[in-house]
Amino acid sequence: MDKQEILTKIKERNFTKIKFAVADIDGILRGKYIHKNKFLNALENGLGFCDVIFGWDCADKCYENSELTGWHSGYPDAKASIAPETYRQIPWDDNTPFLLGDFSNDPKYAEAVCSRSLLKRIAAQSEEMGFKPIFSQEFEWFNFLGTPSEIAEAGYKDLRPITPGMFGYSILRTSLNQPYFNDLFEMLQQFDIPIEGMHTETGPGVMEATVIYDDILAAADKALLFKSAVKEIAYKHNFMATFMAKWNKNLPGCGGHIHQSLWDLDKKQNLFFNANSADGMSANMQHYIAGLLKCLPEILPLFAPNPNSYKRLSGGDWAPRTLTWGIDNRTCAVRAIPGGEKSTRIELRVPGSDTNAYLALGASLAAGLYGIKNKLPLKIAPTKGNGYLETGNGLLPDSLEKATKKMAESEIANELFGKAFVKHFTLTREWECQQIDNNDQQWELKRYFEII
């Protein structure tokens, strides 16, 4: 939708307010309601947004190690730009207009901290190489009985999932809470986040849904909005949804797998598909997989951004730390899915549902393009059995602290994302490591349960 169409929409319905949001470094949407007149001016000229959103963590605690902004700078305004193509209306909020934005027109923030701006740069690089990236993210998340106040007042103890037992792919469990699941499917569709499929996963009260694929920037917009929308719709039913990677050590973790393929610029030909090869995979697809496996250890915090993320990667959660790939093998870090020209794609299984979609999708694309640019050969043989046992090619770092140190020192990371971004992002991950509280068994739930 262009600016003129937005103006027409707003005038037709006589809206008085608009909701607007931008993503912080953790992928948390920070936003506000603004008056229609202020919005109309901002649509043309941008608007100021306090840069504290890049100067504090997911708990609104100000960083003490940030150089970009802080007490030393006085937390000035950054110039946000509204993205008209993200216009949609919120069906559970009286169809209030909603738009996303970024800081791509403010160089200071675009270079170092704005994750949407970073993704736009990586997507532009892909198109310069002749590739249109088509992506989708799928999510697993747990649902609980109670309101934010009730669960917080109970100290995040004795959490009660909305259904009991291990009921993966169960049609019984969705029938227990039909109004909620129907609202999810229908309201997400109305919110321009169409769902390809939704089902129960193995675990009490856990669901999985995949957003229908799109161009990478739109796919990332939808992925961020999906998480926020699910939480808001859950509130309407007195439920809480969590996208923590591993909320309970005795239950499966929550994945945020990324499906991806490269097409020609007209989106008529899937460039991962080769009908003449034995496995249906093109040379570009093989280079892309090689790039993912090469870069993964160097940029892991973009896929596993919190200390809690690494509990999911500890083994047994369909998310191996092994540097493996296989054809339609869900025990591998990279699952190649050959098929027809339309369906051939790659699924990166390392990311959890706690990711910032702009960073996770952007990092996946950047790593794959690195493999194509450098024509990296796919030397690692495909795993045909249990990928958890294939440790010969190396393992991913087993903690955020180790992964952050590796990324901070990585030449590849600096090449892919720029020194300014890598410096700021790794400083925020060092800060995140410092927030670990070994004296409080509930610290992860208190910190990540609702917000991440």
Side-chain angles (χ1 to χ4, degrees), residues 19-211:
K19 200 171 187 180
F20 168 74
V22 294
D24 70 9
I25 203 72
D26 289 294
I28 298 165
L29 289 175
R30 307 284 187 171
K32 59 179 79 173
Y33 288 102
I34 56 177
H35 191 277
K36 174 180 66 176
N37 293 338
K38 182 179 177 72
F39 166 76
L40 295 176
N41 178 66
L43 196 58
E44 293 294 335
N45 304 308
L47 75 163
F49 209 115
C50 178
D51 80 354
V52 74
I53 62 169
F54 295 124
W56 62 18
D57 63 16
C58 65
D60 293 2
K61 184 177 179 181
C62 292
Y63 297 128
E64 295 174 4
N65 62 345
S66 172
E67 297 179 10
L68 182 93
T69 191
W71 300 111
H72 62 279
S73 67
Y75 298 107
D77 275 355
K79 186 175 182 180
S81 300
I82 292 173
E85 71 274 13
T86 66
Y87 179 92
R88 59 217 337 120
Q89 292 171 212
I90 309 171
W92 58 90
D93 187 9
D94 195 29
N95 282 314
T96 297
F98 178 94
L99 293 98
L100 290 166
D102 58 41
F103 297 87
S104 54
N105 290 321
D106 192 329
K108 174 183 174 182
Y109 302 94
E111 180 185 22
V113 296
C114 179
S115 53
R116 193 174 191 270
S117 299
L118 177 64
L119 176 57
K120 288 164 76 172
R121 292 197 297 273
I122 296 168
Q125 292 168 13
S126 177
E127 296 199 16
E128 287 169 5
M129 295 172 66
F131 306 129
K132 175 71 76 172
I134 304 298
F135 274 60
S136 172
Q137 191 164 16
E138 69 177 61
F139 291 102
E140 297 160 346
W141 77 97
F142 280 79
N143 301 278
F144 296 87
L145 300 169
T147 65
S149 295
E150 291 166 347
I151 288 176
E153 286 169 6
Y156 297 88
K157 296 177 181 178
D158 302 318
L159 294 165
R160 295 175 57 206
I162 61 173
T163 54
M166 311 296 276
F167 278 74
Y169 294 98
S170 169
I171 61 171
L172 295 176
R173 284 298 182 250
T174 48
S175 66
L176 281 176
N177 293 286
Q178 283 178 338
Y180 174 47
F181 297 123
N182 288 338
D183 274 357
L184 284 174
F185 214 99
E186 299 302 329
M187 287 187 173
L188 287 167
Q189 174 73 32
Q190 294 168 36
F191 196 46
D192 193 25
I193 307 177
I195 300 303
E196 183 178 87
M198 183 171 67
H199 61 86
T200 61
E201 258 295 355
T202 182
V206 63
M207 295 294 296
E208 176 181 310
T210 303
V211 182

Side-chain angles (χ1 to χ4, degrees), residues 365-404:
L365 176 59
L369 294 177
Y370 180 89
I372 292 175
K373 280 187 239 179
N374 294 284
K375 297 192 181 302
L376 296 183
L378 187 52
K379 294 180 179 179
I380 297 174
T383 297
K384 296 183 178 180
N386 188 345
Y388 296 109
L389 305 178
E390 296 287 338
T391 59
N393 301 311
L395 293 170
L396 296 172
D398 62 2
S399 71
L400 180 60
E401 182 178 13
K402 293 177 184 177
T404 299

